[in-house]
Amino acid sequence: MIYFDYNATAPVMREAREAWLTVTEKTGGNPSSLHQAGTRAALVMADAREKLAASLGCHPLDLIWTSTATEANNMVTHHFARTLGAQSEIWISAIEHPCIHDSAKHYFGKRAKVIPVTRDGVVDVDWITAEMADTRPGLVSVMAANNETGVLQPWREILAICQAYEVPFFTDAVQFIGKMPLKGLGDCDYVSGAAHKFGGPRGVGFLKIPHRKPITPLLHGGKQEGGRRAGTENVATIAAMMAALEVREKQMANNQHLLRGVWRDNFERELLRALPGTVVLGANTPRLWNTVSALMPEGDRRHQWVVRLDQAGFAVSTGSACTTGKEEPSHVLSAMGLKAAQAVRAVRFSAGWETTEADWSALLKGVVRVHTEMARAKA
Ligand code: PLP
C-alpha cells in the first residue's frame, strides 16, 4: 500500500516511537507529583515546552499541551465566547476546519462572520482590510494552510492588519507545522498544532496563547498547565511530538521540502496530460508541497476513485477525513465557488516526507489504470 493521505494523518516516525518508549519506560511519574519520578516527568515536559517555544518564537509559558488540535481550537472559540461582549463578532475564514467553523457557530451563531476566499481558495485580504476600517471584531481566525486544497494562506499579512487594529489573531497551523518553516508563527496571538500531521502520535497537540493574558479553561478539575487546562499531561506523547518536529525542522533547514514540491508538480503536470478534463484546485497560488486536490474528469465518482485506488494499492481521500462519507459538498470547495456537481469530483492526494518520486510515478500509473477501468465499466 502506498499512502497518499498524509493530510488526514501521517505514520508515526521511528524517532517519535523511540522517544515515546524511552519516556514511557524511564519517566513513569506524574509531572505534577513532587517526588523524583514526578520531577523527571516535569523536566521532560519543560524541555519539550522550551524546544517548541524556540521553534515557534514565543515564550515557553505561552504553550499549553492539549489532547488534539480540535481541543485547542475549541479552547479558543470557547474563551472568546466567554469573554467578549454580547454584541461582539468574531471573523473566521470560510475554509476553516469544522472544529473551528462549527464551534464558532455554536458559540457565536450569526456573530461568527465568515471571511470569503478567492476562487483559488485564498482568504480575501482585501475584504479584511475593507471591513476592518468599519468594524473591529473580537477575534480573527484564519488557518495557515488548508487541509483539503493545501493552499497557503496569507496569515502573515492578516496578522499585520490585526496588529495594526489591535485585534487578536488566531491561526490553526495544523497542516502547516512540520511541512513549512515555522518562522513568524509565534507572533500570532493564538496558534494550534497537532503531532499526528507530521509524524508524531495521534492524540497530542498544543495551543499557543499570550501567557500574560488569561484564558478561560475548557476543562476544569486540575491545576495542570498553570490552571489553564486540567488533566494529567501525556508526557510520552509530548516528547514524541517534539522528536518528530525536530526531524522535520532539520529536513526543512536542508530545503528537502522543495525537492518534494517538484515531484508533486511533475505528478500534476502528467496527470493533466493523461486525463484531460482534470482540474487541479488552487493551481495558480502557493500551496503546501505535498497536496493535490483534483476534480477528476468523471461525474460523482469520488468514492469509487477512493475504493478502486485502494484496491490498486493507494490510500487517497475525497477531501477532509472528518467530512468523508458526508454527502453534502465540502464547505471549502463551495466557498471557492465550485458548484455541487463539480465539488463531488474532488479527490485529494496528500503525500508526506516518506513519499518518494517513485511513489508519485506509481500513483500516476494507478490513477490512469483506474480511469481506464472505470471508462470500460461505463461503456
Ligand atoms: N485543523 C486542521 C486544519 C486539520 O486538518 C485537522 C485535522 O484534520 C484539525 C484541525 C483537527 O486536528 P485533530 O485531529 O488533532 O483534532
Side-chain angles (χ1 to χ4, degrees):
M1 168 66 67
I2 304 182
Y3 190 72
F4 274 96
D5 202 11
Y6 276 76
N7 286 9
T9 196
V12 182
M13 70 164 78
R14 180 179 51 78
E15 290 83 348
R17 278 200 301 270
E18 284 173 4
W20 185 88
L21 255 185
T22 306
V23 174
T24 301
E25 285 172 2
K26 300 201 173 136
T27 321
N30 183 325
S32 298
S33 299
L34 290 179
H35 47 63
Q36 289 181 43
T39 309
R40 275 198 297 276
L43 283 175
V44 170
M45 216 164 65
D47 180 54
R49 210 185 294 276
E50 267 175 31
K51 281 189 179 141
L52 183 55
S55 296
L56 293 172
C58 66
H59 194 284
L61 289 180
D62 289 345
L63 297 168
I64 299 174
W65 307 118
T66 61
S67 61
T68 55
T70 298
E71 182 196 329
N73 292 348
N74 272 266
M75 210 165 153
V76 177
T77 50
H78 169 258
H79 167 73
F80 281 91
R82 287 295 182 92
T83 52
L84 289 176
Q87 305 304 318
S88 301
E89 288 180 349
I90 64 166
W91 296 355
I92 59 166
S93 90
I95 55 169
E96 293 304 294
H97 188 272
C99 64
I100 289 185
H101 189 268
D102 293 1
S103 66
K105 290 284 167 197
H106 170 76
Y107 290 121
F108 287 90
K110 287 199 169 61
R111 290 186 297 120
K113 202 160 165 181
V114 175
I115 310 168
V117 298
T118 65
R119 292 193 77 81
D120 272 327
V122 183
V123 169
D124 190 342
V125 178
D126 292 343
W127 185 96
I128 296 177
T129 311
E131 290 285 314
M132 201 75 92
D134 279 346
T135 332
R136 304 285 149 78
L139 174 74
V140 169
S141 174
V142 174
M143 65 195 342
N146 184 261
N147 45 305
E148 294 191 33
T149 60
V151 170
L152 292 167
Q153 300 302 323
W155 58 268
R156 290 182 181 86
E157 265 178 82
I158 301 170
L159 168 65
I161 298 169
C162 287
Q163 283 173 336
Y165 287 98
E166 296 184 359
V167 170
F169 177 66
F170 171 38
T171 193
D172 168 345
V174 166
Q175 296 291 344
F176 189 90
I177 293 172
K179 296 191 190 107
M180 300 297 289
L182 302 184
K183 195 165 180 295
L185 264 188
D187 295 336
C188 302
D189 300 286
Y190 301 83
V191 182
S192 59
H196 74 108
K197 305 293 185 181
F198 54 84
R202 280 164 281 278
V204 61
F206 70 86
L207 176 65
K208 185 262 161 186
I209 66 163
H211 74 273
R212 289 184 204 286
K213 295 194 180 150
I215 181 109
T216 318
L218 190 58
L219 304 180
H220 299 269
K223 293 277 174 239
Q224 291 89 351
E225 301 299 296
R228 301 173 299 180
R229 195 262 184 189
T232 304
E233 295 92 343
N234 193 338
V235 183
T237 63
I238 292 166
M241 168 162 71
M242 289 317 299
L245 189 59
E246 216 169 304
V247 172
R248 296 313 179 214
E249 297 231 85
K250 279 193 192 130
Q251 287 171 310
M252 281 185 278
N254 294 328
N255 282 332
Q256 289 183 34
H257 55 304
L258 302 182
L259 175 63
R260 284 163 175 78
V262 173
W263 300 341
R264 188 277 311 270
D265 292 349
N266 291 343
F267 168 81
E268 282 183 356
R269 205 175 39 254
E270 294 300 321
L271 177 69
L272 296 176
R273 194 174 298 156
L275 268 59
T278 303
V279 177
V280 172
L281 298 175
N284 303 316
T285 197
R287 280 173 294 147
L288 292 172
W289 49 264
N290 75 318
T291 308
V292 181
S293 176
L295 302 185
M296 304 308 279
E298 296 81 7
D300 183 3
R301 296 242 188 139
R302 66 200 156 135
H303 295 297
Q304 272 194 44
W305 271 109
V306 174
V307 171
R308 284 178 182 256
L309 278 171
D310 190 38
Q311 287 160 352
F314 303 92
V316 307
S317 107
T318 57
S320 150
C322 307
T323 54
T324 302
K326 276 210 229 158
E327 286 314 314
E328 64 261 36
S330 133
H331 70 286
V332 173
L333 305 190
S334 300
M336 290 165 68
L338 293 172
K339 303 230 158 51
Q342 294 172 303
V344 293
R345 289 164 45 200
V347 176
R348 181 184 71 186
F349 309 100
S350 56
W353 286 99
E354 289 81 11
T355 310
T356 62
E357 191 174 14
D359 292 337
W360 280 112
S361 304
L363 176 66
L364 181 70
K365 286 196 189 115
V367 168
V368 171
R369 202 165 58 240
V370 165
H371 179 255
T372 310
E373 282 165 17
M374 291 205 300
R376 227 181 265 139
K378 215 168 110 188

PDB file of all heavy atoms in Angstrom, residues 76-86 88 108 138 190 214-216:
ATOM      1  N   VAL A  76     -10.052  28.075  22.050  1.00  0.00           N
ATOM      2  CA  VAL A  76     -10.005  29.477  21.615  1.00  0.00           C
ATOM      3  C   VAL A  76     -11.423  30.026  21.413  1.00  0.00           C
ATOM      4  O   VAL A  76     -11.772  31.086  21.946  1.00  0.00           O
ATOM      5  CB  VAL A  76      -9.177  29.625  20.309  1.00  0.00           C
ATOM      6  CG1 VAL A  76      -9.202  31.071  19.830  1.00  0.00           C
ATOM      7  CG2 VAL A  76      -7.743  29.174  20.549  1.00  0.00           C
ATOM      8  N   THR A  77     -12.249  29.315  20.679  1.00  0.00           N
ATOM      9  CA  THR A  77     -13.599  29.839  20.426  1.00  0.00           C
ATOM     10  C   THR A  77     -14.378  29.949  21.745  1.00  0.00           C
ATOM     11  O   THR A  77     -15.092  30.925  21.982  1.00  0.00           O
ATOM     12  CB  THR A  77     -14.370  28.963  19.413  1.00  0.00           C
ATOM     13  OG1 THR A  77     -14.275  27.612  19.814  1.00  0.00           O
ATOM     14  CG2 THR A  77     -13.832  29.122  18.008  1.00  0.00           C
ATOM     15  N   HIS A  78     -14.181  28.945  22.615  1.00  0.00           N
ATOM     16  CA  HIS A  78     -14.859  28.953  23.920  1.00  0.00           C
ATOM     17  C   HIS A  78     -14.401  30.157  24.744  1.00  0.00           C
ATOM     18  O   HIS A  78     -15.208  30.873  25.336  1.00  0.00           O
ATOM     19  CB  HIS A  78     -14.533  27.635  24.643  1.00  0.00           C
ATOM     20  CG  HIS A  78     -14.937  27.601  26.075  1.00  0.00           C
ATOM     21  ND1 HIS A  78     -14.037  27.763  27.100  1.00  0.00           N
ATOM     22  CD2 HIS A  78     -16.141  27.424  26.658  1.00  0.00           C
ATOM     23  CE1 HIS A  78     -14.671  27.688  28.260  1.00  0.00           C
ATOM     24  NE2 HIS A  78     -15.954  27.480  28.015  1.00  0.00           N
ATOM     25  N   HIS A  79     -13.090  30.401  24.769  1.00  0.00           N
ATOM     26  CA  HIS A  79     -12.554  31.519  25.550  1.00  0.00           C
ATOM     27  C   HIS A  79     -13.165  32.841  25.085  1.00  0.00           C
ATOM     28  O   HIS A  79     -13.621  33.649  25.905  1.00  0.00           O
ATOM     29  CB  HIS A  79     -11.027  31.574  25.419  1.00  0.00           C
ATOM     30  CG  HIS A  79     -10.439  32.853  25.915  1.00  0.00           C
ATOM     31  ND1 HIS A  79     -10.364  33.154  27.263  1.00  0.00           N
ATOM     32  CD2 HIS A  79      -9.935  33.934  25.253  1.00  0.00           C
ATOM     33  CE1 HIS A  79      -9.823  34.356  27.413  1.00  0.00           C
ATOM     34  NE2 HIS A  79      -9.565  34.857  26.207  1.00  0.00           N
ATOM     35  N   PHE A  80     -13.195  33.050  23.773  1.00  0.00           N
ATOM     36  CA  PHE A  80     -13.722  34.334  23.293  1.00  0.00           C
ATOM     37  C   PHE A  80     -15.235  34.431  23.504  1.00  0.00           C
ATOM     38  O   PHE A  80     -15.758  35.516  23.757  1.00  0.00           O
ATOM     39  CB  PHE A  80     -13.289  34.581  21.838  1.00  0.00           C
ATOM     40  CG  PHE A  80     -11.869  35.058  21.775  1.00  0.00           C
ATOM     41  CD1 PHE A  80     -10.818  34.172  21.643  1.00  0.00           C
ATOM     42  CD2 PHE A  80     -11.569  36.409  21.942  1.00  0.00           C
ATOM     43  CE1 PHE A  80      -9.500  34.612  21.642  1.00  0.00           C
ATOM     44  CE2 PHE A  80     -10.255  36.861  21.951  1.00  0.00           C
ATOM     45  CZ  PHE A  80      -9.222  35.961  21.801  1.00  0.00           C
ATOM     46  N   ALA A  81     -15.913  33.288  23.423  1.00  0.00           N
ATOM     47  CA  ALA A  81     -17.359  33.300  23.688  1.00  0.00           C
ATOM     48  C   ALA A  81     -17.631  33.730  25.130  1.00  0.00           C
ATOM     49  O   ALA A  81     -18.604  34.430  25.408  1.00  0.00           O
ATOM     50  CB  ALA A  81     -17.946  31.914  23.432  1.00  0.00           C
ATOM     51  N   ARG A  82     -16.740  33.322  26.043  1.00  0.00           N
ATOM     52  CA  ARG A  82     -16.935  33.640  27.459  1.00  0.00           C
ATOM     53  C   ARG A  82     -16.506  35.058  27.815  1.00  0.00           C
ATOM     54  O   ARG A  82     -16.925  35.587  28.834  1.00  0.00           O
ATOM     55  CB  ARG A  82     -16.139  32.665  28.325  1.00  0.00           C
ATOM     56  CG  ARG A  82     -16.728  31.272  28.390  1.00  0.00           C
ATOM     57  CD  ARG A  82     -18.080  31.323  29.094  1.00  0.00           C
ATOM     58  NE  ARG A  82     -18.675  30.011  29.241  1.00  0.00           N
ATOM     59  CZ  ARG A  82     -18.512  29.252  30.306  1.00  0.00           C
ATOM     60  NH1 ARG A  82     -17.775  29.657  31.310  1.00  0.00           N
ATOM     61  NH2 ARG A  82     -19.092  28.081  30.369  1.00  0.00           N
ATOM     62  N   THR A  83     -15.624  35.630  27.016  1.00  0.00           N
ATOM     63  CA  THR A  83     -15.027  36.906  27.435  1.00  0.00           C
ATOM     64  C   THR A  83     -15.455  38.114  26.602  1.00  0.00           C
ATOM     65  O   THR A  83     -15.349  39.241  27.069  1.00  0.00           O
ATOM     66  CB  THR A  83     -13.478  36.814  27.425  1.00  0.00           C
ATOM     67  OG1 THR A  83     -13.067  36.312  26.149  1.00  0.00           O
ATOM     68  CG2 THR A  83     -12.969  35.906  28.514  1.00  0.00           C
ATOM     69  N   LEU A  84     -15.921  37.894  25.374  1.00  0.00           N
ATOM     70  CA  LEU A  84     -16.323  39.053  24.557  1.00  0.00           C
ATOM     71  C   LEU A  84     -17.725  39.517  24.938  1.00  0.00           C
ATOM     72  O   LEU A  84     -18.526  38.731  25.453  1.00  0.00           O
ATOM     73  CB  LEU A  84     -16.301  38.685  23.067  1.00  0.00           C
ATOM     74  CG  LEU A  84     -14.918  38.481  22.444  1.00  0.00           C
ATOM     75  CD1 LEU A  84     -15.060  38.019  20.995  1.00  0.00           C
ATOM     76  CD2 LEU A  84     -14.101  39.775  22.502  1.00  0.00           C
ATOM     77  N   GLY A  85     -18.002  40.760  24.643  1.00  0.00           N
ATOM     78  CA  GLY A  85     -19.339  41.292  24.918  1.00  0.00           C
ATOM     79  C   GLY A  85     -20.399  40.611  24.061  1.00  0.00           C
ATOM     80  O   GLY A  85     -20.083  39.999  23.026  1.00  0.00           O
ATOM     81  N   ALA A  86     -21.647  40.736  24.486  1.00  0.00           N
ATOM     82  CA  ALA A  86     -22.747  40.011  23.835  1.00  0.00           C
ATOM     83  C   ALA A  86     -22.952  40.429  22.379  1.00  0.00           C
ATOM     84  O   ALA A  86     -23.544  39.681  21.591  1.00  0.00           O
ATOM     85  CB  ALA A  86     -24.033  40.225  24.624  1.00  0.00           C
ATOM     86  N   SER A  88     -20.344  41.382  20.371  1.00  0.00           N
ATOM     87  CA  SER A  88     -19.086  41.275  19.607  1.00  0.00           C
ATOM     88  C   SER A  88     -19.131  40.170  18.563  1.00  0.00           C
ATOM     89  O   SER A  88     -19.709  39.111  18.791  1.00  0.00           O
ATOM     90  CB  SER A  88     -17.913  40.975  20.537  1.00  0.00           C
ATOM     91  OG  SER A  88     -17.795  41.982  21.475  1.00  0.00           O
ATOM     92  N   PHE A 108     -21.174  31.484  18.737  1.00  0.00           N
ATOM     93  CA  PHE A 108     -21.458  32.856  18.293  1.00  0.00           C
ATOM     94  C   PHE A 108     -22.644  32.978  17.340  1.00  0.00           C
ATOM     95  O   PHE A 108     -23.089  34.088  17.072  1.00  0.00           O
ATOM     96  CB  PHE A 108     -20.210  33.448  17.600  1.00  0.00           C
ATOM     97  CG  PHE A 108     -19.118  33.797  18.567  1.00  0.00           C
ATOM     98  CD1 PHE A 108     -18.155  32.856  18.909  1.00  0.00           C
ATOM     99  CD2 PHE A 108     -19.066  35.041  19.169  1.00  0.00           C
ATOM    100  CE1 PHE A 108     -17.154  33.160  19.820  1.00  0.00           C
ATOM    101  CE2 PHE A 108     -18.075  35.363  20.078  1.00  0.00           C
ATOM    102  CZ  PHE A 108     -17.116  34.412  20.403  1.00  0.00           C
ATOM    103  N   GLY A 138     -13.814  40.780  17.662  1.00  0.00           N
ATOM    104  CA  GLY A 138     -13.119  40.388  18.886  1.00  0.00           C
ATOM    105  C   GLY A 138     -11.984  39.418  18.614  1.00  0.00           C
ATOM    106  O   GLY A 138     -11.094  39.237  19.453  1.00  0.00           O
ATOM    107  N   TYR A 190      -2.657  33.447  18.903  1.00  0.00           N
ATOM    108  CA  TYR A 190      -3.084  32.078  19.191  1.00  0.00           C
ATOM    109  C   TYR A 190      -2.676  31.204  18.002  1.00  0.00           C
ATOM    110  O   TYR A 190      -2.873  31.604  16.845  1.00  0.00           O
ATOM    111  CB  TYR A 190      -4.608  32.000  19.398  1.00  0.00           C
ATOM    112  CG  TYR A 190      -5.081  32.884  20.543  1.00  0.00           C
ATOM    113  CD1 TYR A 190      -5.322  34.241  20.338  1.00  0.00           C
ATOM    114  CD2 TYR A 190      -5.226  32.362  21.822  1.00  0.00           C
ATOM    115  CE1 TYR A 190      -5.714  35.065  21.387  1.00  0.00           C
ATOM    116  CE2 TYR A 190      -5.612  33.175  22.889  1.00  0.00           C
ATOM    117  CZ  TYR A 190      -5.852  34.532  22.664  1.00  0.00           C
ATOM    118  OH  TYR A 190      -6.219  35.326  23.709  1.00  0.00           O
ATOM    119  N   PRO A 214      -5.263  36.162  30.442  1.00  0.00           N
ATOM    120  CA  PRO A 214      -5.931  34.960  30.955  1.00  0.00           C
ATOM    121  C   PRO A 214      -6.598  34.170  29.828  1.00  0.00           C
ATOM    122  O   PRO A 214      -6.903  34.745  28.784  1.00  0.00           O
ATOM    123  CB  PRO A 214      -6.992  35.531  31.902  1.00  0.00           C
ATOM    124  CG  PRO A 214      -7.189  36.944  31.489  1.00  0.00           C
ATOM    125  CD  PRO A 214      -5.935  37.403  30.817  1.00  0.00           C
ATOM    126  N   ILE A 215      -6.750  32.875  30.038  1.00  0.00           N
ATOM    127  CA  ILE A 215      -7.530  32.059  29.091  1.00  0.00           C
ATOM    128  C   ILE A 215      -8.571  31.304  29.906  1.00  0.00           C
ATOM    129  O   ILE A 215      -8.274  30.827  31.013  1.00  0.00           O
ATOM    130  CB  ILE A 215      -6.644  31.091  28.274  1.00  0.00           C
ATOM    131  CG1 ILE A 215      -7.455  30.271  27.268  1.00  0.00           C
ATOM    132  CG2 ILE A 215      -5.840  30.143  29.145  1.00  0.00           C
ATOM    133  CD1 ILE A 215      -7.248  30.648  25.845  1.00  0.00           C
ATOM    134  N   THR A 216      -9.772  31.236  29.388  1.00  0.00           N
ATOM    135  CA  THR A 216     -10.849  30.542  30.103  1.00  0.00           C
ATOM    136  C   THR A 216     -10.698  29.046  29.833  1.00  0.00           C
ATOM    137  O   THR A 216     -10.760  28.626  28.682  1.00  0.00           O
ATOM    138  CB  THR A 216     -12.221  31.000  29.559  1.00  0.00           C
ATOM    139  OG1 THR A 216     -12.170  32.409  29.381  1.00  0.00           O
ATOM    140  CG2 THR A 216     -13.344  30.603  30.480  1.00  0.00           C
TER     141      THR A 216
END
